[in-house]
Amino acid sequence: MGVISILTHSFTDGYNREFGRVFGGGLERYILDLCSVIRGLGHIPEVHQLSYFEAFQTRTEQIDVFGYAYDMDNVPEAFDRMAAAARGPVIYASCLWQPITYKPGSLGICHGINWDRPGLPLETKHQVAEHIQLALDGLVRIVSVDSHFQTFCRAACTFTDPRQVVLIPNAVDTSYFTPAPPRRTFEQQQEDEWLAAWKTDLASHEEHVSATISGLQDTKSSGRASRVSVDFDTEEGAGNVDIEAEEAGNPVLGLSRSEEVDGDGTSYTVDHNRRDSASKYADRATDRTVEKEADLVQVDSHMEGHRERHAKDVSTVPSRPIRIIYPRRISMERGIIPMMLAADKLLGAFPDLEIEFAGELVEGSTVGRTFRYWHRTHPHAARINQRTYDFRDIREAYHQADIAVIPTVFSEGTSYACLEAMSCGLPVIASNVGGLNDLIQDGFNGLLVPPGEQELTAALVRLVQDRAERERLGIYARETALSYDLSRWRSRWSTVLESFLAETGLKEGIRG
């Protein structure tokens, strides 16, 4: 058993100074899953990362994490310090585009091309190609999460071993990220409420007449005396009369005296020895029994009338609001500006539409302050939600959504958010950037659009208005996600790690 050291620019939240919490981004999710694979092989993972604030040391998710303060203009120097402090073989899990001096015998990971901004100067792009060449020369192997980095290396760099760049796409736990169970519509809920009310009303009818009906049945029995309890309700008040009957020919033979209490709490005495009074009440009770039986006979037609009226009412009940989810960090490269612009138009055009921004936000950043102001002052703010989800809770957000949007502008691998949404059976609208092209086949399992607000808005309007298209795309999205199941990713990474550790000769225990 030994330690394996992962070097990265981010794992726990060094952006908001919450060092004990894993930041909710794709890179951080990746590292968390990789640590699980390392433990599964009997080794101990540790993470060294950059900190926007002071240096720190913490332990989270059973992982020791070390944070390093650094100069943003000299990232390679911070990676040198992390490599020197590492207690085991090193995996460089990010920043391969930087001119890093790599520790010999190390492994690298590229999470997607982030130098694909159209406005990035050509000179800078040439420099990045040189830095990637340094990675190819200095690392024993590089794992790429999408086909685009692999193609870039072949087109812009040189290396002799075709196995040096290994393609292992990101993955999703398809057994956890499953389609939502069928939703209950407003119509179904209203049907249940109406049926419950009808049953209550029917029960009250039956309770009111049950004693009278049973009493009449008892009077038909011959040869024995029986007591019939008759409810009555007259203009003078309500009460109860005990009638002792022996034969049908002599319905009233003897009476008793009792004290009763009416509905408003007033007590009174009924003189049951007055034959004429008892007969009067019995006659009235019999009349009410006939009326109640007639009422019960009419229940079916009464219910049918309610159903007809209910059907008319249901047709006017609005359907459940359509919800769009943006399951990304609120940042420039993730397309937050095009998404906000599209939201302005959609919320104004569709009053039954809701939009949820389900991702991390760096408080105090320019983008973060802009989003907060936009949300706070928006005329449709009540239909805009923003929430940060834990990795384990985000499934609920997908289950509440109808459409997922991945409007990346630049810097994208095989997006976790895209895979999760697809696995949950959601139709996805994605920009044709980076690894998203590996996941989405336009018109088959989602929609691909150029990065920008105009095409994004048009695609959203299309799906908002076409439920059948949403359902069709979602079905094939789920089928696609099954081929990216997490179990395959773990198996392929285990193979890479076993080979890597054999080459590094990891046999010693933890170094101090």
Side-chain angles (χ1 to χ4, degrees):
M1 176 185 288
V3 173
I4 298 177
S5 304
I6 299 174
L7 278 53
T8 179
H9 71 274
S10 177
F11 181 54
T12 63
D13 190 358
Y15 302 106
N16 297 301
R17 224 174 197 157
E18 298 180 23
F19 302 132
R21 180 181 75 91
V22 176
F23 190 72
L27 168 65
E28 295 79 10
R29 168 81 66 84
Y30 192 101
I31 293 174
L32 193 61
D33 287 341
L34 182 57
C35 287
S36 176
V37 175
I38 291 171
R39 279 196 296 265
L41 294 176
H43 300 289
I44 301 171
E46 67 176 18
V47 175
H48 299 257
Q49 70 167 84
L50 305 182
S51 171
Y52 283 91
F53 300 97
E54 68 276 9
F56 67 89
Q57 180 176 345
T58 189
R59 183 173 177 80
T60 184
E61 302 286 345
Q62 301 179 350
I63 304 166
D64 289 327
V65 183
F66 306 89
Y68 298 74
Y70 73 106
D71 180 354
M72 294 186 67
D73 294 326
N74 195 358
V75 171
E77 185 275 333
F79 271 83
D80 288 345
R81 285 188 284 127
M82 289 193 289
R87 298 183 294 170
V90 172
I91 300 176
Y92 290 84
S94 69
C95 296
L96 300 191
W97 60 89
Q98 294 279 352
I100 295 172
T101 301
Y102 295 97
K103 187 175 182 177
S106 298
L107 189 68
I109 305 172
C110 181
H111 296 275
I113 293 175
N114 74 339
W115 52 93
D116 55 348
R117 279 174 282 180
L120 197 66
L122 185 60
E123 180 182 357
T124 302
K125 294 188 176 186
H126 287 161
Q127 289 177 347
V128 169
E130 294 173 0
H131 299 162
I132 296 301
Q133 185 66 59
L134 291 175
L136 289 166
D137 293 341
L139 297 168
V140 296
R141 190 163 287 109
I142 299 175
V143 173
S144 174
V145 305
D146 65 22
S147 64
H148 297 266
F149 176 75
Q150 190 178 54
T151 300
F152 176 87
C153 290
R154 290 170 175 166
C157 304
T158 59
F159 55 99
T160 57
D161 185 356
R163 299 170 299 173
Q164 189 171 357
V165 180
V166 181
L167 176 60
I168 305 181
N170 288 346
V172 60
D173 185 350
T174 58
S175 66
Y176 180 75
F177 288 96
T178 56
R183 294 190 183 95
R184 298 187 62 79
T185 65
F186 280 1
E187 290 85 350
Q188 290 172 324
Q189 293 173 5
Q190 191 178 30
E191 174 73 17
D192 284 350
E193 292 170 1
W194 174 86
L195 186 59
W198 178 82
K199 288 181 177 179
T200 301
D201 183 62
L202 181 60
S204 68
H205 277 284
E206 293 173 342
E207 181 180 359
H208 194 72
V209 302
S210 60
T212 299
I213 295 175
S214 62
L216 290 176
Q217 291 173 341
D218 288 342
T219 61
K220 296 178 181 179
S221 61
S222 61
R224 291 197 308 267
S226 62
R227 302 189 68 83
V228 180
S229 179
V230 181
D231 290 311
F232 63 88
D233 187 357
T234 69
E235 293 178 357
E236 293 80 18
N240 175 276
V241 178
D242 283 338
I243 304 174
E244 184 173 347
E246 199 168 70
E247 294 183 5
N250 293 305
V252 181
L253 298 180
L255 301 172
S256 63
R257 189 181 185 88
S258 65
E259 184 177 55
E260 302 295 337
V261 180
D262 67 9
D264 63 5
T266 304
S267 64
Y268 59 93
T269 301
V270 177
D271 188 353
H272 303 302
N273 291 317
R274 295 176 58 185
R275 180 183 299 270
D276 56 343
S277 177
S279 299
K280 176 182 69 174
Y281 289 131
D283 291 342
R284 291 186 180 181
T286 302
D287 292 339
R288 289 182 57 80
T289 299
V290 175
E291 294 174 3
K292 293 301 181 183
E293 289 177 332
D295 287 343
L296 291 174
V297 170
Q298 295 174 2
V299 162
D300 287 340
S301 60
H302 177 71
M303 179 177 176
E304 187 61 32
H306 267 290
R307 289 190 181 277
E308 291 176 0
R309 289 193 295 274
H310 173 65
K312 294 177 181 178
D313 293 340
V314 165
S315 65
T316 63
V317 175
S319 59
R320 185 185 65 85
I322 295 176
R323 172 166 287 204
I324 296 171
I325 185 172
Y326 167 93
R328 314 307 313 275
R329 290 199 317 271
I330 295 176
S331 60
M332 293 294 292
E333 71 275 14
R334 294 301 181 234
I336 186 60
I337 300 302
M339 187 62 212
M340 289 162 62
L341 293 172
D344 287 340
K345 295 180 179 179
L346 289 163
L347 291 168
F350 300 98
D352 59 344
L353 184 72
E354 298 176 351
I355 299 179
E356 179 170 29
F357 293 83
E360 293 275 5
L361 183 149
V362 178
E363 298 290 352
S365 65
T366 300
V367 174
R369 291 197 309 270
T370 300
F371 178 83
R372 292 291 192 207
Y373 178 80
W374 173 80
H375 187 187
R376 185 174 61 252
T377 60
H378 203 282
H380 305 293
R383 292 189 282 129
I384 301 172
N385 302 298
Q386 191 276 320
R387 177 181 170 186
T388 299
Y389 289 86
D390 182 86
F391 295 141
R392 302 166 184 83
D393 300 330
I394 187 65
R395 180 180 65 172
E396 180 60 27
Y398 292 124
H399 284 180
Q400 296 301 317
D402 300 282
I403 303 169
V405 187
I406 314 292
T408 306
V409 176
F410 64 92
S411 184
E412 187 67 86
T414 44
S415 163
Y416 275 112
C418 186
L419 283 169
E420 290 167 354
M422 294 174 73
S423 187
C424 287
L426 285 180
V428 176
I429 299 174
S431 54
N432 56 1
V433 172
L436 294 171
N437 293 289
D438 291 347
L439 301 177
I440 301 294
Q441 298 297 313
D442 185 39
F444 172 69
N445 58 1
L447 299 180
L448 277 178
V449 297
E453 174 267 329
Q454 186 174 352
E455 290 81 359
L456 176 64
T457 302
L460 281 166
V461 169
R462 170 182 168 183
L463 290 192
V464 166
Q465 295 180 324
D466 194 338
R467 177 178 177 178
E469 179 76 347
R470 296 199 304 267
E471 292 179 352
R472 184 184 68 81
L473 293 175
I475 290 171
Y476 290 113
R478 169 67 180 176
E479 292 298 315
T480 302
L482 293 174
S483 64
Y484 290 87
D485 186 72
L486 185 60
S487 60
R488 299 185 182 185
W489 183 89
R490 290 179 178 276
S491 176
R492 297 188 66 184
W493 250 113
S494 294
T495 300
V496 169
L497 283 172
E498 287 171 346
S499 174
F500 167 62
L501 296 177
E503 292 175 9
T504 60
L506 177 61
K507 297 184 183 298
E508 73 276 15
I510 300 174
R511 293 194 281 114

